[in-house]
Amino acid sequence: MAAGWPSDIAMTQSHHPLLAGNRLPGRWMGRDSFVILQVGFGLGHNFLDTWAAWKADPKRCQRLVFIAIEPHPLPRQTLQQVQADHGENPSSDHPRLAQRLVDAWPVQVPGLHTLNFEEGPASGVTLLLCFGELTELMPQIVAQIDAFFLDDSRLQSQPPLLDKELLSRLSRIAAPGASAVACSSTPGVLDGLSLAGFVVDPVPGLAGHPDLLTARFEPRHRPSPLPGGLWPNMPAPERRHALIIGAGLAGCATAWALARQGWRCTLIDAHQAPAQAGSGNPSGAFHSIVHGEDGIHARTHRAAALHTANLIAPWVQQGRLAGACDGMMRLDTKTSTDEALALVQHLNLPTDYARWLDQAEAAQASGIGLPHGGWLFPQGGWLDPAGYAQLLLDEARRHSDIQCLWEQSVQHLHKQGSEDAPLWGALDDQGRTIAEAPVVVLANAQGAVELMRSVAQAAKLPLSGSRGQITTVPLESTPGCRAPRIPVSGAGYVLPAHRGRLLCGATSQRDDADPAMREDDHWHNLKHAMHLGCLPEVTQLPHALEGRVGWRASTPDRMPYVGAWPLAQAIEPAGRTTGAPGTKSTRVDQPRFVPRLRDEHGGVYVNAGLGSRGIIWAALGSELLASWITGCPCPVEAALRDALDPARILTRAIAKESGRSTQADASA
């Protein structure tokens, strides 16, 4: 047995064999973070026991992340009942923790769900619930796992789920020094762990649990991290500093996500306060999506919308943020009731995620005379974007040092400092350094593309701008004007009353830089409000009507850019790239292989292109970006991560070019 590993006698002193077999809580002592992955979640007892052990340990790690893959999650009501009946756990804190788990239990739709507990200064417990089949989701996990709980009593009757092939792939996500406790010692389990680089402890079983085995990760070879993958090592504390350019929703959310990982941030913005540009509308809606194919776009949008609702609901309830999370109505004229019900059944959507309402039901739910029915998203709602941005900054300051430099315009980026400790400097129009840091995040919409034009080797990413104008109408002084109870969208949208006004909109004009308010655009918005039953037919603009003009930055596929900025490469027909002359070709058929403008010292990242859905994308996109920068577990599946990776633009261009080359060769 390797030195430092516990004896069988030491293991008997623990109440919990999975914790003992992984040498916990001792191994998380003094760590910034510790990540556990469990096969299955079941009733949640293993998570609750681990959470209780973390709380009781004065030498615990700062952040504990518990990932659980559960193919058959329990309904909230069932979980509530079984937790109420559970009295076997020795921890007196168990019932209270169990109730907090029940209260936070997510909507039962496939995918990853993040639940946060015990939030303190750069510390806390995160439960990443992965709802779906083990064989499908295990390859989608992007994390470095310190301890594996390969135990779930319901899975023991299904040996193929813990077979040789599945276990052999654990090396992809196992962190250096990882450990594992398995629920079986069958040849398939032993061979799978061995192929993954684990050495099984020769001491058979734990006291009272003869079928359990322990193993430690000692691979003969560890491949280099992918350019678009997780970096395995956190930089030294003094290097955990990010410069964020842009203090809209994307920038403020980025500061919040990085601060929760213990990073200090410096935000630079040309305005006097956060969310004064594209994020500056007085209110905005957020909602999920239903799509027949349930493809990457729909799944990513769903994950972002539910993540937003989960984050802001407590803040709204506490009165810290103006808004509501009690539903959003999206009208649908192309779907019949029969088609909608068939789609719900096909996608197996729970009613607390989406419900189809006919015209009468939709009108009753919204409180206005809607012309037809559509989809009600109970997890949707609306909020004040500027208030949301400010609250994210306030929360970031609870975790780390946040500095805001207002009324500063960044004109250039420049890599400076020493070779061993390089820094990225943000320069003004005179070439003077405004601020510098090892990491820079571009969260300034179209300004990100403009800044990177002068950075050597940076790839060009397309980002287009569209002008949008909203209209607000005073409720009291406008006869017949009424606001909906919940947000409603159709050809246009209307939002619940905020500050005594009805908001409706919005126009969309590409490549239009006119900042002036337009009467024609007001009429465009008011006609939508009339159609949705918020206004009677009017022939002149209401008195005291107001509006706002802003610009949205959108990508070609309407998905944000979230990740490390890719390097420019010369495309070769074989789906490979070359860098400088004489360098080795690099595989770039998938975004994760594309070289980046980053290394172990730092780099350039982007969180932009949120379009008209900044409220929806801000929180999840920023936590995804924090995963890129800090190496903490990714909050979405690998496929969704790739879909938001800015390097996808290059891989698609390569695929298109390769297709042309193949066709040309065939023609010749």
Side-chain angles (χ1 to χ4, degrees):
M1 184 163 54
W5 276 71
S7 67
D8 188 40
I9 295 176
M11 291 182 181
T12 65
Q13 298 175 355
S14 173
H15 291 294
H16 199 293
L18 293 177
L19 290 173
N22 283 289
R23 295 186 294 151
L24 298 174
R27 282 180 57 227
W28 65 41
M29 183 186 302
R31 296 269 300 264
D32 288 324
S33 65
F34 196 88
V35 183
I36 297 171
L37 185 143
Q38 177 178 333
V39 172
F41 188 75
L43 305 180
H45 296 331
N46 288 336
F47 166 67
L48 294 170
D49 292 341
T50 305
W51 181 5
W54 181 87
K55 281 177 60 67
D57 183 8
K59 299 180 180 180
R60 61 181 176 258
C61 56
Q62 286 287 98
R63 295 203 69 85
L64 173 67
V65 181
F66 194 104
I67 304 172
I69 304 176
E70 175 53 59
H72 306 293
L74 294 174
R76 181 195 297 267
Q77 296 82 353
T78 305
L79 186 67
Q80 172 80 66
Q81 183 59 49
V82 296
Q83 292 296 347
D85 294 341
H86 178 67
E88 301 173 0
N89 194 284
S91 171
S92 60
D93 209 20
H94 190 284
R96 187 178 67 85
L97 300 184
Q99 187 56 54
R100 292 175 64 184
L101 172 63
V102 171
D103 293 341
W105 197 245
V107 177
Q108 289 181 257
V109 292
L112 276 57
H113 304 264
T114 302
L115 282 59
N116 292 312
F117 307 97
E118 310 292 346
E119 288 287 291
S123 66
V125 174
T126 296
L127 172 61
L128 186 59
L129 284 170
C130 311
F131 291 164
E133 294 300 326
L134 181 64
T135 53
E136 295 177 4
L137 282 180
M138 185 71 87
Q140 294 292 320
I141 298 298
V142 182
Q144 289 283 287
I145 309 299
D146 297 300
F148 292 88
F149 288 4
L150 305 177
D151 168 74
D152 185 352
S153 58
R154 290 177 303 145
L155 298 185
Q156 292 184 38
S157 62
Q158 303 177 44
L161 290 179
L162 289 178
D163 64 5
K164 175 180 175 180
E165 182 179 359
L166 179 68
L167 294 175
S168 68
R169 298 175 182 174
L170 294 184
S171 59
R172 182 185 64 84
I173 55 176
S179 62
V181 175
C183 64
S184 170
S185 57
T186 63
V189 171
L190 292 171
D191 291 345
L193 289 173
S194 178
L195 288 171
F198 283 84
V199 176
V200 176
D201 195 315
V203 177
L206 305 175
H209 303 275
D211 293 331
L212 294 182
L213 62 84
T214 62
R216 60 192 182 279
F217 187 51
E218 295 183 0
R220 296 180 179 179
H221 169 70
R222 286 190 63 84
S224 300
L226 297 177
L230 291 182
W231 288 98
N233 299 316
M234 279 276 281
E238 64 272 14
R239 299 281 295 175
R240 298 174 193 173
H241 178 206
L243 185 63
I244 303 171
I245 300 176
L249 280 175
C252 293
T254 297
W256 164 78
L258 287 174
R260 293 177 67 244
Q261 301 299 325
W263 281 55
R264 59 191 179 96
C265 302
T266 299
L267 282 87
I268 304 177
D269 196 277
H271 299 86
Q272 297 179 338
Q276 297 301 298
S279 302
N281 286 347
S283 58
F286 60 94
H287 60 88
S288 196
I289 193 171
V290 171
H291 192 275
E293 296 180 1
D294 203 35
I296 286 289
H297 185 278
R299 288 159 49 202
T300 311
H301 188 113
R302 175 172 67 216
L306 292 178
H307 198 87
T308 298
N310 181 57
L311 174 65
I312 70 168
W315 294 343
V316 170
Q317 187 177 15
Q318 296 161 11
R320 301 178 63 195
L321 177 61
C325 295
D326 49 9
M328 193 275 185
M329 190 76 212
R330 185 169 181 81
L331 304 185
D332 185 346
T333 59
K334 298 180 180 180
T335 304
S336 68
T337 297
D338 289 342
E339 291 171 336
L341 296 178
L343 182 58
V344 169
Q345 185 175 10
H346 170 68
L347 297 177
N348 195 26
L349 297 176
T351 56
D352 56 351
Y353 172 73
R355 297 202 303 270
W356 175 264
L357 303 184
D358 62 24
Q359 185 274 330
E361 293 169 328
Q364 182 177 10
S366 64
I368 54 177
L370 297 179
H372 41 80
W375 296 99
L376 173 67
F377 296 99
Q379 303 286 325
W382 70 276
L383 55 77
D384 171 9
Y388 183 27
Q390 184 61 59
L391 185 51
L392 287 167
L393 281 183
D394 294 342
E395 286 294 305
R397 291 189 175 98
R398 291 181 56 232
H399 296 279
S400 188
D401 179 26
I402 305 297
Q403 181 184 19
C404 295
L405 303 179
W406 304 117
E407 299 183 272
Q408 299 277 356
S409 181
V410 179
Q411 298 299 318
H412 304 282
L413 285 181
H414 184 258
K415 195 172 185 179
Q416 50 202 40
S418 67
E419 184 176 341
D420 295 334
L423 299 171
W424 283 93
L427 312 182
D428 64 15
D429 57 358
Q430 301 298 315
R432 296 170 298 198
T433 300
I434 301 172
E436 59 184 9
V439 166
V440 62
V441 178
L442 303 179
N444 53 334
Q446 283 183 283
V449 173
E450 296 170 4
L451 274 178
M452 294 304 290
R453 286 174 181 165
S454 61
V455 176
Q457 296 186 311
K460 295 181 179 180
L461 298 179
L463 202 60
S464 61
S466 63
R467 177 188 179 277
Q469 179 175 318
I470 61 166
T471 301
T472 69
V473 182
L475 290 168
E476 289 189 1
S477 60
T478 306
C481 181
R482 56 177 179 167
R485 285 197 290 263
I486 59 175
V488 177
S489 70
Y493 64 84
V494 290
L495 301 182
H498 181 44
R499 299 172 185 164
R501 304 183 74 89
L502 166 74
L503 187 151
C504 56
T507 62
S508 179
Q509 297 105 358
R510 295 191 61 175
D511 302 320
D512 187 337
D514 181 14
M517 209 79 64
R518 300 171 181 167
E519 284 195 6
D520 286 348
D521 288 355
H522 279 315
W523 277 116
H524 174 274
N525 295 334
L526 292 176
K527 287 177 181 178
H528 288 316
M530 295 177 206
H531 180 68
L532 295 174
C534 289
L535 276 175
E537 293 292 330
V538 294
T539 57
Q540 60 182 5
L541 295 179
H543 177 68
L545 176 144
E546 295 178 358
R548 186 177 186 276
V549 174
W551 284 266
R552 317 176 188 96
S554 300
T555 66
D557 59 5
R558 299 296 187 268
M559 301 278 273
Y561 291 142
V562 181
W565 198 284
L567 288 174
Q569 301 289 317
I571 299 174
E572 289 186 344
R576 294 178 175 271
T577 65
T578 56
T583 60
K584 184 180 179 180
S585 294
T586 304
R587 175 184 173 186
V588 287
D589 56 311
Q590 296 181 44
R592 64 194 72 171
F593 295 113
V594 175
R596 308 302 170 119
L597 198 62
R598 71 165 179 172
D599 54 28
E600 66 273 16
H601 301 295
V604 179
Y605 298 80
V606 60
N607 187 3
L610 281 62
S612 60
R613 295 172 174 172
I615 293 175
I616 295 173
W617 289 114
L620 183 63
S622 297
E623 292 202 53
L624 170 58
L625 189 69
S627 172
W628 272 91
I629 295 173
T630 72
C632 64
C634 179
V636 298
E637 302 94 310
L640 274 58
R641 185 181 191 269
D642 287 347
L644 299 178
D645 187 338
R648 69 186 186 269
I649 299 298
L650 302 187
T651 60
R652 290 172 187 169
I654 290 169
K656 186 176 181 180
E657 184 69 17
S658 298
R660 287 176 178 171
S661 299
T662 301
Q663 292 173 6
D665 293 341
S667 299

